[in-house]
Amino acid sequence: MIRLNLRTEIFLLFFFAIIFSCENNNHKEINKETSTVSYLASGTQQMIDSLSVIYSKTNFWKHLYATSESADLIEKKLAELRQGDQMDWQLYIKFGLVCLNAGETEKALKIIQEAKDKFPQFATITPNSKQLYDALAIAWLRKGEQDNCILNHSDESCVFPIKGKGIHTNREGSEKAIELYKEILKAYPNDLESRWLINIAYMTLGEYPDGVPTEYLLQPKQIESDYDLPEFPNIAMSTGLDVNDLSGGIITDDFNGDGFIDILASSWGMKDQIRFFVNDGKGSFIDKSKIAGLKGVTGGLNLRQADFNNDGHLDFLIIRGAWHPLSEMGTQPNSLFKNNGNGTFDDVTISSGLYSVHPTQTATWLDFDLDGDLDLFIGNETSNQQESHPCEFFLNNGDGTFTDIAKEIGLDLTTYAKGVNSGDINNDNLPDLYISSMSGGNFLFVNRGGENPREWKFENISKKAGVELPLKSFATWFFDFDNDGLEDIYVASFDDYAFKKQASEVISGYLGQSFQGEHPRLFKNLGNEKFQDITQQVKLDKAVHSMGCNFGDLDNDGFLDFYLGTGAPDYRAIVPNRVFRNNGGKDFQDVTTSGRFGMLQKGHGVSFADFDNDGDQDIYSVIGGAFSGDIFQNVFYENPGNQENKWITIQLKGDKTINQSAKGARIHLEVEMKDGSSRNIYSTVTPGASFGSNSLQQEIGLGAAKSIINLSVKWPDKKNEYISYGKVDIEQKILISKNSMEVKKIPLMPIQFVKKEMTHHHHH
């Protein structure tokens, strides 16, 4: 009944909002003097109102990820029990953990300690009491993080292995945690999670490795990188980009067309403001969320960009409701924002026909019928126990509206979709779909074409292509990791061990022991619609469970590397985000510690982009967890550069017959190397992985190149042929338009980032 009422109310709310909105969807011009928008567009206000109705109806008892609201509910229950002289130790621990997860660490410590003192069974550690000791230890460790890494944040806070400015000056939290972990490990010497966390606690005090009891020590040698990549400094604080929120999505792209990459970041809390940072081209980023008409726009675990109406301005989609297929939290609409081309955005979800309420984590834009307009596949989450939320496939009608044709073309699949991406596996220029699932095998749908969009054929070839594993999957992407002209598939595992035992999984990996969970998969494209699982031979059969992720070329050697965000909600999952370097298409090398990428807080949306126009890719990542208290500052890694290797930046521009940002176009570079040999480098216009969006301009490393012998482009059209643009100079930015054979040089305006005074930001 609630579900029906909720939807009815939203419908009525929109119905009246539309009637009274006077059909005016345009912003007034921005007043440059006051830098404010005179009023919000009606579509945006309707969505804000809609989300507040959903918030007011939410039952926080059912909320999967504890919040301050659910803490209040349990506290009332506990007070009732105390009044009636009843004692329930399990409720005590539950309340303590909920307070911890809601960010009320002092309260959590008090409650858990009270339970320890009050109930005789907690005097010693036994299988029944271990849960309380684990809770108390992690609460102290979290207190140390809050006092030092969040309240006294530095650019080295929580970077594994912790050193320098990352060492805690307020020692109490870690010292108390170490005492408890020693007790736990004395009773349970094989408790790998506690062994990992005691090493981390000693690191925070600057006492690793020498202070760690030998029997628990994780040797420095065991965490070394496989390759010596130079350090990428985290400059988020000094550039004012260290916003402090929960898990969320990211887009880095040029939203205002000035040649500089901007940032759009979300945070998944229902009341968390989306943030729009404009790159001013002078070394600073300016928060223009309010001016852009985005004030009050909240939520969204993921973001995807596309120019859906082909007007040359990048629009974006906010994806909401993830992880909540069983509660009202899952009945949140996604939002489509239209870029007005004057620095403002309007929510056009309703007027475009995209409005629907489902729990959603993932979506991909693709021109499946090659008619020049980008269509949208949305992966919804169906859990085993409840009503189904089929995936949606929105056909772009070419007039700013969409029609869901998923059922007609057989893509209304019901699964717990966590990642979706489009790529062209058989080089026929028709984009195919890969969908990763939390509820069984993954899906590969090959686009078989058709005369009429509504009679289009997608064939599910997952089984015969051999790409169904792992059975519980998350982030995924297509990329040509070995430059053979065929798109390969990477898919991350995120099984029960990833959720509950991530710390023990990670230390097992570092210790060279077998781990219990699934490893990710790299499927090499064999070219005949078959793939080979080569995970083991490329050395990726590791305990790396990831949510946020993306790929790019960190050292400009012409081979694609990738960054994996961790994401598990549990506070004990204090494990590093990991970065892997592509070793010439032969295998992958862990470069986490040498590059200083090992942020120990939860990693979500990840993006590679050249923010400072110096020809190499930097990384921005949204950090922060699922629980409402698990906030942390985002990271921004500046690429130190590689003098040996060359690069080129290519911007493709479509026309009326091809989507403006040329999403899906393939680039083939034939490169002459300094030693006289030649090699091929392939690149696809895509935002990259399923959780995080790279810029759509192609920032391509060329290795030790002397020249580009030939550049050719296969545009996303029905011709399916490469057009050659001939010899092109290296180390420059060029623009190629579909309707011209001219290769136009665009002046690259390099930026020196303004290193602002390192004052601490605490925005939450």
Side-chain angles (χ1 to χ4, degrees):
M1 201 61 200
I2 287 176
R3 186 66 56 86
L4 181 67
N5 286 347
L6 176 61
R7 287 187 177 162
T8 308
E9 280 191 47
I10 294 168
F11 175 76
L12 289 172
L13 184 91
F14 281 138
F15 181 71
F16 290 119
I18 290 165
I19 286 173
F20 293 118
S21 69
C22 308
E23 291 299 313
N24 189 345
N25 258 355
N26 296 318
H27 280 286
K28 286 187 178 168
E29 278 300 298
I30 301 172
N31 177 334
K32 290 202 169 81
E33 298 305 309
T34 59
S35 289
T36 57
V37 174
S38 46
Y39 62 88
L40 281 168
S42 57
T44 306
Q45 192 56 53
Q46 288 164 30
M47 185 59 77
I48 291 168
D49 294 345
S50 158
L51 289 166
S52 61
V53 169
I54 293 167
Y55 184 82
S56 70
K57 294 279 173 195
T58 299
N59 175 354
F60 285 96
W61 271 115
K62 282 193 194 169
H63 195 312
L64 273 177
Y65 300 104
T67 61
S68 45
E69 290 92 341
S70 39
D72 294 344
L73 291 169
I74 299 174
E75 187 164 26
K76 281 184 189 133
K77 179 102 187 222
L78 200 62
E80 284 165 26
L81 287 176
R82 278 174 171 155
Q83 270 176 338
D85 272 347
Q86 289 172 282
M87 286 298 168
D88 179 348
W89 66 267
Q90 281 168 316
L91 195 63
Y92 263 94
I93 295 179
K94 184 178 180 181
F95 181 45
L97 286 173
V98 169
C99 287
L100 180 66
N101 293 336
E104 298 177 43
T105 310
E106 302 280 355
K107 199 180 211 175
L109 282 164
K110 196 173 152 216
I111 296 289
I112 302 168
Q113 188 64 49
E114 194 183 328
K116 187 173 183 289
D117 299 341
K118 198 164 272 191
F119 298 100
Q121 66 264 45
F122 294 130
T124 56
I125 302 181
T126 65
N128 289 335
S129 68
K130 184 174 183 292
Q131 187 192 357
L132 179 132
Y133 282 80
D134 285 339
L136 199 53
I138 197 62
W140 278 113
L141 207 53
R142 181 63 184 162
K143 181 169 165 39
E145 286 174 353
Q146 282 178 319
D147 291 349
N148 295 276
C149 311
I150 299 175
L151 294 174
N152 294 299
H153 191 60
S154 88
D155 52 1
E156 288 189 281
S157 291
C158 282
V159 180
F160 175 81
I162 296 162
K163 57 185 189 191
K165 287 177 282 183
I167 290 169
H168 293 189
T169 48
N170 183 332
R171 298 169 58 91
E172 184 193 27
S174 289
E175 283 176 348
K176 288 269 181 23
I178 285 170
E179 284 168 34
L180 285 156
Y181 284 124
K182 279 183 177 167
E183 271 188 75
I184 294 167
L185 284 161
K186 201 170 171 186
Y188 295 95
N190 298 325
D191 178 357
L192 285 172
E193 187 170 67
S194 297
R195 181 170 169 188
W196 170 260
L197 293 168
I198 201 170
N199 276 276
I200 298 293
Y202 275 108
M203 278 181 194
T204 66
L205 299 177
E207 293 173 12
Y208 171 90
D210 301 345
V212 186
T214 322
E215 62 272 33
Y216 309 137
L217 178 64
L218 178 62
Q219 298 287 349
K221 196 165 82 260
Q222 291 168 318
I223 59 175
E224 272 174 15
S225 284
D226 302 327
Y227 174 89
D228 198 17
L229 195 74
E231 192 172 317
F232 280 55
N234 172 17
I235 60 166
M237 275 184 86
S238 56
T239 49
L241 289 172
D242 59 323
V243 292
N244 188 14
D245 282 318
L246 299 173
S247 51
I250 175 83
I251 300 169
T252 56
D253 221 317
D254 182 3
F255 282 99
N256 54 10
D258 63 356
F260 301 106
I261 301 287
D262 311 307
I263 295 173
L264 197 62
S266 70
S267 173
W268 90 315
M270 284 179 94
K271 290 188 161 182
D272 292 352
Q273 170 69 44
I274 196 157
R275 298 171 191 275
F276 179 46
F277 293 102
V278 172
N279 184 337
D280 69 357
K282 299 173 188 156
S284 294
F285 289 85
I286 299 156
D287 188 338
K288 292 208 172 174
S289 316
K290 187 176 177 181
I291 297 167
L294 297 173
K295 185 170 168 51
V297 176
T298 55
L301 186 55
N302 204 352
L303 301 168
R304 301 308 262 169
Q305 82 271 41
D307 180 0
F308 81 90
N309 56 359
N310 251 358
D311 63 354
H313 305 298
L314 265 186
D315 316 298
F316 68 91
L317 181 76
I318 304 178
I319 302 170
R320 298 189 182 98
W323 294 117
H324 288 98
L326 300 174
S327 79
E328 297 92 342
M329 298 282 291
T331 56
Q332 292 186 60
N334 302 319
S335 277
L336 177 63
F337 274 88
K338 178 169 79 76
N339 184 337
N340 297 317
N342 62 355
T344 69
F345 297 90
D346 283 347
D347 190 314
V348 294
T349 316
I350 302 158
S351 59
S352 68
L354 275 189
Y355 182 85
S356 68
V357 281
H358 295 289
T360 314
Q361 158 84 44
T362 185
T364 187
W365 294 93
L366 67 160
D367 183 1
F368 82 105
D369 53 356
L370 301 178
D371 66 347
D373 293 313
L374 288 171
D375 312 293
L376 177 64
F377 179 90
I378 294 182
N380 292 321
E381 299 178 352
T382 296
S383 168
N384 301 330
Q385 311 106 295
Q386 45 57 253
E387 68 178 84
S388 76
H389 291 283
C391 294
E392 298 161 293
F393 193 96
F394 287 99
L395 170 71
N396 191 327
N397 300 321
D399 59 0
T401 68
F402 294 84
T403 307
D404 185 2
I405 60 164
K407 208 179 179 106
E408 291 157 73
I409 62 174
L411 287 175
D412 59 334
L413 130 116
T414 51
T415 187
Y416 206 126
K418 288 315 286 183
V420 60
N421 234 315
S422 48
D424 179 9
I425 65 150
N426 51 10
N427 287 347
D428 63 357
N429 233 22
L430 290 168
D432 312 304
L433 283 167
Y434 188 75
I435 300 142
S436 71
S437 172
M438 273 279 175
S439 55
N442 305 317
F443 302 87
L444 176 59
F445 284 95
V446 172
N447 187 337
R448 296 291 183 213
E451 290 305 307
N452 166 350
R454 290 166 181 272
E455 292 159 5
W456 215 259
K457 297 280 182 287
F458 279 90
E459 185 192 348
N460 179 359
I461 66 162
S462 338
K463 203 178 227 37
K464 68 176 187 214
V467 294
E468 290 181 299
L469 292 174
L471 289 179
K472 288 197 170 182
S473 303
F474 208 113
T476 183
W477 65 76
F478 288 93
F479 70 156
D480 184 357
F481 86 95
D482 52 0
N483 280 320
D484 65 354
L486 296 166
E487 297 216 276
D488 312 295
I489 298 171
Y490 179 95
V491 57
S493 143
F494 218 91
D495 56 21
D496 294 348
Y497 294 105
F499 274 103
K500 296 176 182 149
K501 290 280 173 199
Q502 200 166 54
S504 6
E505 293 278 281
V506 168
I507 192 172
S508 301
Y510 279 127
L511 292 169
Q513 298 175 4
S514 62
F515 50 93
Q516 293 172 287
E518 273 275 25
H519 58 70
R521 294 294 191 282
L522 178 63
F523 295 114
K524 179 175 163 58
N525 191 335
L526 301 176
N528 51 1
E529 297 192 357
K530 296 253 172 55
F531 288 79
Q532 183 189 354
D533 180 348
I534 59 162
T535 317
Q536 216 170 340
Q537 66 203 61
V538 296
K539 302 180 183 165
L540 287 175
D541 53 336
K542 291 176 157 59
V544 285
H545 308 292
S546 53
M547 290 193 183
C549 58
N550 226 318
F551 61 84
D553 186 356
L554 293 175
D555 54 1
N556 276 344
D557 66 349
F559 289 97
L560 295 168
D561 317 305
F562 58 86
Y563 178 115
L564 300 177
T566 47
D570 194 321
Y571 273 133
R572 291 167 298 184
I574 309 174
V575 298
N577 293 279
R578 307 276 280 273
V579 175
F580 290 88
R581 175 185 179 266
N582 186 335
N583 179 26
K586 296 190 289 288
D587 55 32
F588 286 85
Q589 299 160 324
D590 189 331
V591 291
T592 306
T593 54
S594 67
R596 294 294 282 155
F597 298 112
M599 166 50 63
L600 287 166
Q601 300 294 331
K602 315 294 157 50
H604 285 86
V606 176
S607 186
F608 286 65
D610 181 6
F611 291 97
D612 48 2
N613 285 345
D614 62 354
D616 53 43
Q617 291 186 304
D618 314 294
I619 298 176
Y620 190 84
S621 178
V622 174
I623 305 293
F627 294 124
S628 64
D630 201 0
I631 55 171
F632 204 79
Q633 286 88 341
N634 293 350
V635 292
F636 181 27
Y637 296 110
E638 184 180 12
N639 194 320
N642 182 317
Q643 298 312 308
E644 300 297 302
N645 293 335
K646 307 302 177 194
W647 53 271
I648 188 162
T649 298
I650 304 173
Q651 208 171 337
L652 297 183
K653 191 175 187 313
D655 57 13
K656 285 199 167 56
T657 63
I658 284 178
N659 75 85
Q660 282 285 327
S661 42
K663 166 102 174 48
R666 309 280 289 276
I667 296 170
H668 174 204
L669 299 172
E670 209 182 321
V671 180
E672 186 188 0
M673 307 309 284
K674 282 184 183 144
D675 63 6
S677 65
S678 71
R679 63 177 278 208
N680 294 308
I681 296 171
Y682 290 88
S683 186
T684 304
V685 179
T686 163
S690 61
F691 198 172
S693 297
N694 294 342
S695 68
L696 292 172
Q697 70 175 20
Q698 294 303 286
E699 300 152 353
I700 305 171
L702 302 173
K706 200 162 71 178
S707 67
I708 294 170
I709 304 163
N710 186 48
L711 181 161
S712 51
V713 177
K714 182 156 69 155
W715 296 90
D717 61 17
K718 289 174 179 150
K719 291 190 181 133
N720 192 26
E721 61 188 22
Y722 276 98
I723 294 172
S724 168
Y725 293 88
K727 197 174 160 120
V728 175
D729 289 341
I730 57 177
E731 305 226 313
Q732 61 164 339
K733 182 174 178 179
I734 57 172
L735 170 71
I736 302 177
S737 299
K738 173 66 174 80
N739 53 17
S740 154
M741 287 303 293
E742 184 195 0
V743 175
K744 200 172 161 192
K745 183 170 180 174
I746 303 176
L748 250 187
M749 298 160 277
I751 297 168
Q752 281 296 119
F753 287 122
V754 174
K755 303 291 198 283
K756 292 171 186 162
E757 200 183 325
M758 302 288 268
T759 49
H760 161 70
H761 298 275
H762 189 232
H763 297 286
H764 196 73

